[in-house]
């Protein structure tokens, strides 16, 4: 294993990239910038080399950051470098390796970065492990595989069980192919004439920007086995009417549904643990926002997401929510039910005087109501008013009225 000082080598690589850019006008300037930036980033950390590969190590896992462009033929991404499992192929790592003809990405890799194999123009064969969960934008742009029309199905490029990209002119409602696992970064971004998408239950990961600016998309039927939704995945889908997050989803990225201006209803699945910043910012018509609750009024979410720009009037917060931040409620809010008696309210959190806060007697919700001048209602009293216990044939039953 050789520890290398990358300064001179990296700048030589940048010079080579610039010469390539100057010589090949079909390469966008953005590609050159991304390639140069990825090389510069290597200077900020100690890098190591093994054979053709330059890589960095973080948390015991290796990321390939640059590859010698002399690499050729059909290759398999090494499973280990320096004894560390290779988990990521970094942005522009193989950029313009024109002697490559085929690549196999094995089971240790989870992430393929932006433009990782862009302009490897002779790559005709690509195999991607089912273990990969994130594929960056334009990861295979400019390869022979990408350019081969036979590899596109109804305007969609699939590689194995991964959806890589859709043609900009795709129209109507699209049924994603059965057994698809991952929808890559920016796959449908800017598909203005896409009206709807229906996903099979095989899809587990929607990467960042996947459907961004699909401005005519009115519906998205998500996979019931979906695990995560990336940053800005549906941002500016301005005609999307409702959002139903399946129960298996654990993470919703920042700005995932920002500026979905016609969305009126959102249901958050019971397994969601994280909702990123501004996930629903600009959802101006959103009036129904609810969490899926179990029989104990629990879910997995621990922090109240910001819905301040909506027109929601009533919300029920699961017992799992421990923190309510400043200015997360919209001005339209009239009733908040809080099932966690020890929930922490930010001092700047507000609800208008005279509106209703429902919680347990002696809870932080009651204190919050007193501080804001809201009316407080005991949640146990509310429940007892909703049901009446009667006896029938020596058996106690509850009747709802």
């Amino acid at each position: 294993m050789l520890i290398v000082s990358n300064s001179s080598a990296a700048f030589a690589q940048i010079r080579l990239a610039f010469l390539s850019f100057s010589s090949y006008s079909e390469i966008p300037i953005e590609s050159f910038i991304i390639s140069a930036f990825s090389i510069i980033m290597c200077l900020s950390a100690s890098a190591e080399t093994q054979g053709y590969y330059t890589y960095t190590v973080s948390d015991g896992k290796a990321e390939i950051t640059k590859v010698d462009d002399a690499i050729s033929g059909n290759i398999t991404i090494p499973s280990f470098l320096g004894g560390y499992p290779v988990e990521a192929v970094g942005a522009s790592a193989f950029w313009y390796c024109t002697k490559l003809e085929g690549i196999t990405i094995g089971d240790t890799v989870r992430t393929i970065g932006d433009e990782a194999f862009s302009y490897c123009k002779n790559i005709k064969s690509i195999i991607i492990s089912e273990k990969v969960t994130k594929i960056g934008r334009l990861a295979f742009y400019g390869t022979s595989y990408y350019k081969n029309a036979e590899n596109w199905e109804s305007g969609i490029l699939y590689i194995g069980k991964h959806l890589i990209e859709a043609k900009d002119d795709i129209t109507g409602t699209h049924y994603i192919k059965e057994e698809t696992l991952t929808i890559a970064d920016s796959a449908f971004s800017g598909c203005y004439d896409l009206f709807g998408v229906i996903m099979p239950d095989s899809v587990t990961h929607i990467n960042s920007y996947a459907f961004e600016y699909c401005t005519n998309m009115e519906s998205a039927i998500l996979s019931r086995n979906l695990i995560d939704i990336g940053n800005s995945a549906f941002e500016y889908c301005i005609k999307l009417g409702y959002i139903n997050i399946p129960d298996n989803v654990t993470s919703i990225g920042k700005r995932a549904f920002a500026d979905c201006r016609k969305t009126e209803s959102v249901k958050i699945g019971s397994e969601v643990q994280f909702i990123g910043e501004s996930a629903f910012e600009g959802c101006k018509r959103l009036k129904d926002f609810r969490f899926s609750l179990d029989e104990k009024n629990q879910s997995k979410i621990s922090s109240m997401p910001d819905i301040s720009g909506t027109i929601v009037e009533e919300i029920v917060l699961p017992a799992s929510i421990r923190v309510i931040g400043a200015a997360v409620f919209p001005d339209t809010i009239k009733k908040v039910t809080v099932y966690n008696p020890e929930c922490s309210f930010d001092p700047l959190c507000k609800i208008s005087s005279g509106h209703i806060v429902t919680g347990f007697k002696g809870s932080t919700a009651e204190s919050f109501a007193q501080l804001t001048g809201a009316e407080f209602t005991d949640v146990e009293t509310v429940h007892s008013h909703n049901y009446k216990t009667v006896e029938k044939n020596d058996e106690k039953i509850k009747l709802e009225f």
Side-chain angles (χ1 to χ4, degrees):
M1 185 186 304
L2 175 66
I3 306 293
V4 297
S5 175
N6 277 350
S7 298
S8 59
F11 282 113
Q13 291 165 1
I14 293 172
R15 179 177 178 273
L16 178 60
F18 179 75
L19 290 174
S20 298
F21 166 73
S22 301
S23 302
Y24 297 91
S25 59
E26 76 271 14
I27 301 177
I29 183 64
E30 292 87 350
S31 296
F32 167 71
I33 292 171
I34 291 173
S35 181
F37 178 75
S38 66
I39 295 168
I40 291 169
M41 288 301 291
C42 293
L43 302 179
S44 63
S46 178
E48 301 179 1
T49 59
Q50 181 176 316
Y52 291 109
Y53 304 97
T54 299
Y55 64 98
T56 57
V57 176
S58 177
D59 296 327
K61 296 170 183 177
E63 175 180 347
I64 297 172
T65 55
K66 185 61 184 172
V67 177
D68 189 328
D69 61 11
I71 195 168
S72 62
N74 295 290
I75 67 160
T76 297
I77 302 298
S79 297
F80 293 88
L81 287 171
Y84 299 101
V86 175
E87 189 175 68
V89 178
S92 304
F94 285 79
W95 192 81
Y96 215 75
C97 288
T98 57
K99 297 176 183 178
L100 281 179
E101 297 176 5
I103 53 170
T104 298
I105 299 170
D107 287 346
T108 62
V109 176
R110 298 293 181 270
T111 300
I112 301 171
D114 291 348
E115 300 195 349
F117 297 91
S118 280
Y119 298 103
C120 297
K121 61 183 181 180
N122 290 309
I123 289 180
K124 300 179 181 66
S125 170
I126 303 172
I127 298 173
I128 305 176
S129 165
E130 294 179 14
K131 302 291 186 181
V132 171
T133 60
K134 181 171 174 56
I135 301 173
R137 63 182 294 274
L138 302 176
F140 304 97
Y141 185 80
T143 63
S144 289
Y145 189 98
Y146 182 95
K147 293 179 179 179
N148 186 348
E150 294 182 0
N151 292 326
W152 293 73
E153 303 176 31
S154 302
I156 305 291
L157 178 66
Y158 293 93
I159 301 179
K161 295 185 178 181
H162 306 278
L163 191 159
I164 306 302
E165 187 176 332
K167 296 285 189 183
D168 290 345
D169 59 358
I170 193 169
T171 63
T173 296
H174 185 77
Y175 290 79
I176 290 174
K177 189 168 71 171
E178 292 289 338
E179 298 188 352
T180 299
L181 297 172
T182 304
I183 300 175
D185 279 19
S186 306
F188 290 86
S189 180
C191 290
Y192 303 117
D193 294 321
L194 181 67
F195 298 149
V197 63
I198 298 175
M199 302 178 191
D201 288 337
S202 57
V203 174
T204 52
H205 303 277
I206 300 175
N207 293 169
S208 298
Y209 312 103
F211 296 92
E212 178 193 39
Y213 282 91
C214 291
T215 53
N216 283 301
M217 187 163 69
E218 297 178 352
S219 66
I221 308 301
L222 306 183
S223 161
R224 286 178 291 187
N225 293 311
L226 190 62
I227 295 172
D228 58 62
I229 300 170
N231 297 338
S232 298
F234 292 88
E235 182 170 359
Y236 213 78
C237 291
I238 57 176
K239 292 187 178 180
L240 196 61
Y242 65 92
I243 298 165
N244 187 8
I245 307 298
D247 283 339
N248 280 332
V249 172
T250 60
S251 175
I252 300 172
K254 64 182 181 181
R255 299 193 65 81
F257 297 94
D259 287 313
C260 291
R261 298 178 182 178
K262 287 192 174 181
T263 299
E264 296 186 356
S265 174
V266 171
K267 183 179 180 182
I268 304 295
S270 60
E271 296 297 311
V272 172
Q273 301 173 30
F274 172 80
I275 299 177
E277 181 181 355
S278 304
F280 301 97
E281 181 179 291
C283 295
K284 299 178 180 179
R285 296 189 184 182
L286 179 56
K287 57 186 178 182
D288 180 17
F289 188 94
R290 63 183 66 190
F291 298 92
S292 293
L293 306 179
D294 63 17
E295 66 279 0
K296 295 182 179 179
N297 298 309
Q298 289 272 13
S299 72
K300 296 292 179 66
I301 189 76
S302 62
S303 182
M304 173 63 195
D306 183 355
I307 57 169
S308 58
T310 70
I311 55 172
V312 171
E313 295 185 356
E314 181 174 345
I315 190 166
V316 177
L317 305 184
S320 55
I321 287 188
R322 300 191 299 269
V323 178
I324 299 177
V328 295
F329 296 132
D331 294 338
T332 54
I333 200 76
K334 294 179 180 179
K335 183 178 181 180
V336 177
T337 299
V338 183
Y339 278 113
N340 184 349
E342 298 178 350
C343 186
S344 174
F345 289 82
D346 188 281
L348 297 179
C349 184
K350 295 179 180 179
I351 184 172
S352 298
S353 176
H355 291 170
I356 300 171
V357 175
T358 300
F360 292 99
K361 195 71 175 174
S363 67
T364 54
E366 183 176 15
S367 299
F368 172 69
Q370 293 170 350
L371 286 172
T372 58
E375 177 186 340
F376 177 75
T377 305
D378 185 356
V379 69
E380 293 180 331
T381 301
V382 171
H383 284 182
S384 67
H385 284 174
N386 288 338
Y387 294 92
K388 182 178 181 181
T389 302
V390 299
E391 292 188 8
K392 181 180 181 181
N393 298 328
D394 298 324
E395 181 183 1
K396 288 187 176 181
I397 61 173
K398 281 184 176 180
L399 297 178
E400 185 177 4
F401 66 97

